[in-house]
Amino acid sequence: MSMRELVVLGTASQAPTRTRNHNGYVLRWDDEVICFDPGEGSQRQLLHTGVTSIDLTRICVTHFHGDHCLGLPGLIQRRNLDRATAPLPVHFPGTDAEYFHRLANASLFHSTIEVRPEPVGHDGQEFHTRAGILRARRLRHPVATYGYQLIEPDGRRLLPERLAAHGIDGPDVGRLLRDGSLDRDGRRITPAEVSTARPGQRFAFVMDTGLCDNVYALAEDADLLVIESTFLERDAARAAEVGHLTAAQAARVAAESGVRKLVLTHFSQRYSDAAEFAAEAREHFTGELVVAEDLDRVQVPKRRPAGAAAPVTG
């Protein structure tokens, strides 16, 4: 059975706290298991989730500030220790590739696995995955930073009752899908006659950034948006100065972009009450809202019905 969920490894920005680990997120999307921004301690946090290093199919690093990447050496070496056999693609800002290579070789170990660097070289670059297109967008931060958007292509869902009405079963179903048509009782049957449209889903991951056009581009029509809200609005000037978002800004982005479920994370250690982030976001966003805690599991919403427009949430 397919599974689509976000597993939260850590939610702190810059420095971990007694209750929040450094960043780390795992997106389970059917056969793809993508780790985003493995901060320090991510290897240990995985032990609490049931996700293993071998499960990971790729890693995406938004940028090379330590709270987003210092867990990378541990994940690579643990994957080696666990004797993974599949190659592991890793995406990261290509202009800072030297930091990836330093992290991947941070200590002595006997390497038997294939780590496959696939750097992001430009805004809008796309990578093909089993789940769909993984698109990177340049964000606004003091160092090279990219957000990521996973876009599942639209498809079709076969309807058993219509297949049965046309006498199509067994290997003929595969032939219909492969060839685009099937002759039956003197007439040609197409997939459209025995199926219904299945809209693809979207996931967006937006970390350290000031407000910019690409934040909206990444969030557009996302079924699940994971976005930094490092600051509260009372510290908006500081947020703008260092290239971060407030909870209010993140919520407005979600509302204006048709997001279905919003996950706020990457909280500054200066705040002790997570309820403040929820209250601030609720002033702008009325859809599903999660103020992330370490080890949360957040389900991707069920697929929108065919033809359904993105809801107005704010």
Side-chain angles (χ1 to χ4, degrees):
M1 186 173 77
S2 65
M3 176 182 293
R4 295 188 178 183
E5 68 173 359
L6 178 78
V7 182
V8 180
L9 304 181
T11 55
S13 72
Q14 193 175 50
T17 71
R18 293 186 180 187
T19 58
R20 296 186 184 276
N21 198 73
H22 261 168
N23 277 287
Y25 312 86
V26 174
L27 178 67
R28 302 185 69 160
W29 190 284
D30 302 340
D31 295 332
E32 285 282 352
V33 183
I34 307 173
C35 182
F36 291 89
D37 279 5
E40 183 180 352
S42 289
Q43 178 188 177
R44 185 177 184 278
Q45 292 295 89
L46 277 180
L47 296 175
H48 297 288
T49 69
V51 181
T52 71
S53 71
I54 293 179
D55 293 331
L56 302 181
T57 57
R58 68 185 61 237
I59 294 175
C60 295
V61 176
T62 58
H63 65 296
F64 284 107
H65 278 153
D67 53 322
H68 296 261
C69 67
L70 286 179
L72 190 59
L75 286 185
I76 290 175
Q77 293 187 32
R78 180 55 185 263
R79 190 174 173 85
N80 187 84
L81 183 66
D82 292 341
R83 299 184 179 181
T85 57
L88 181 68
V90 183
H91 309 293
F92 53 86
T95 53
D96 291 330
E98 65 178 293
Y99 294 99
F100 166 75
H101 293 293
R102 291 179 189 177
L103 290 166
N105 301 280
S107 66
L108 293 171
F109 70 104
H110 178 60
S111 179
T112 61
I113 65 171
E114 180 185 355
V115 177
R116 183 179 296 165
E118 296 188 4
V120 180
H122 59 84
D123 180 42
Q125 186 169 347
E126 296 181 349
F127 303 90
H128 293 273
T129 79
R130 289 175 293 184
I133 296 295
L134 181 68
R135 179 180 295 151
R137 291 285 190 185
R138 183 70 184 257
L139 295 174
R140 197 177 78 192
H141 200 53
V143 301
T145 304
Y146 289 88
Y148 295 93
Q149 181 183 48
L150 184 64
I151 305 170
E152 179 188 35
D154 294 338
R156 302 197 68 84
R157 181 172 65 86
L158 292 171
L159 301 173
E161 65 277 11
R162 293 190 188 176
L163 288 168
H166 290 286
I168 301 174
D169 58 12
D172 283 343
V173 176
R175 294 190 189 98
L176 172 64
L177 295 175
R178 183 179 62 252
D179 300 336
S181 65
L182 188 70
D183 292 330
R184 183 66 87 237
D185 297 328
R187 61 183 298 262
R188 180 154 293 181
I189 309 300
T190 66
E193 296 177 71
V194 294
S195 64
T196 186
R198 187 197 66 184
Q201 291 194 297
R202 292 189 174 200
F203 167 82
F205 186 80
V206 178
M207 283 296 120
D208 298 21
T209 183
L211 200 60
C212 61
D213 288 346
N214 274 346
V215 173
Y216 290 92
L218 288 163
E220 183 179 2
D221 292 338
D223 293 276
L224 182 65
L225 168 64
V226 180
I227 188 169
E228 68 123 307
S229 58
T230 309
F231 292 93
L232 292 170
E233 196 68 9
R234 63 176 177 260
D235 296 312
R238 176 61 177 164
E241 179 184 351
V242 295
H244 282 291
L245 298 174
T246 67
Q249 288 175 321
R252 286 195 292 267
V253 167
E256 294 170 21
S257 302
V259 169
R260 298 176 67 197
K261 182 180 282 191
L262 170 64
V263 179
L264 300 180
T265 187
H266 194 270
F267 307 113
S268 169
Q269 65 268 28
R270 73 187 63 201
Y271 307 110
S272 59
D273 187 1
E276 290 187 89
F277 290 90
E280 186 167 294
R282 274 294 175 219
E283 295 179 11
H284 308 279
F285 181 76
T286 59
E288 290 189 72
L289 172 66
V290 176
V291 177
E293 299 287 347
D294 288 16
L295 304 181
D296 274 354
R297 303 183 91 102
V298 182
Q299 303 303 308
V300 176
K302 291 184 178 180
R303 199 181 301 276
R304 284 188 178 109
V312 177
T313 55

